[in-house]
Amino acid sequence: MSTEAEYDRLINNKWKNFTHIIPTDEQAIRGCRAIYRKAMGKPWKGKVEIVKRKNQYTRVRRGVMYVNPNRPQWFHKAGWHDMTHTLSHHCHRKLRPFDKPHSERQTILETELTNYVLSDAFSKYR
């Protein structure tokens, strides 16, 4: 299980220099599809919807990806940071169903996705 210090070093500290601009609905949908494709190695084939209530997570349920680009929270910034975090948990659960939610391998996956979202390759979605 990853410690808080490791998580801060590998993930949270990378977001500190990132300008947290809330993406438009279209940017959020395209970006979340790209994050899913990066994590799973295949494209998302289901429906994608923007959530209407601000306190809902970005998540996948019953074949629909619900995307919330502006969920207010305490520990993470809204926008790409939050969407990357929540999608990393969904993808980790699908890839490794018997691992714990905050295992070392989930931290590694979230680190890879964070690096991808902060890279120039992802800039077309921002």
Side-chain angles (χ1 to χ4, degrees):
M1 195 156 228
S2 296
T3 66
E4 187 175 342
E6 286 174 322
Y7 191 83
D8 283 342
R9 180 178 60 82
L10 294 171
I11 297 164
N12 286 337
N13 290 340
K14 292 178 182 178
W15 289 104
K16 286 183 181 178
N17 296 328
F18 179 72
T19 304
H20 292 281
I21 298 170
I22 304 303
T24 65
D25 290 353
E26 183 61 33
Q27 288 173 324
I29 289 170
R30 290 178 53 225
C32 285
R33 284 179 177 271
I35 292 167
Y36 180 90
R37 184 174 50 250
K38 179 72 170 174
M40 300 299 288
K42 60 183 179 181
W44 173 257
K45 301 232 187 225
K47 187 176 177 183
V48 182
E49 292 182 11
I50 294 292
V51 296
K52 303 299 182 203
R53 295 172 60 203
K54 291 297 180 191
N55 64 343
Q56 290 178 315
Y57 287 87
T58 295
R59 65 191 175 122
V60 176
R61 184 170 186 198
R62 297 183 181 150
V64 179
M65 182 186 294
Y66 296 96
V67 176
N68 187 348
N70 194 18
R71 183 177 74 89
Q73 64 287 82
W74 294 357
F75 299 112
H76 302 351
K77 300 282 186 184
W80 294 117
H81 188 168
D82 183 59
M83 290 185 291
T84 303
H85 176 76
T86 55
L87 283 176
S88 76
H89 278 288
H90 169 77
C91 293
H92 173 72
R93 193 169 50 251
K94 292 294 182 187
L95 292 168
R96 299 171 193 97
F98 299 107
D99 268 10
K100 292 186 178 182
H102 289 112
S103 70
E104 292 287 330
R105 294 195 294 182
Q106 189 277 328
T107 302
I108 291 167
L109 177 63
E110 188 170 347
T111 301
E112 291 171 1
L113 295 177
T114 296
N115 291 338
Y116 173 59
V117 170
L118 296 175
S119 74
D120 289 339
F122 193 83
S123 63
K124 62 185 170 190
Y125 301 110
R126 286 190 247 132

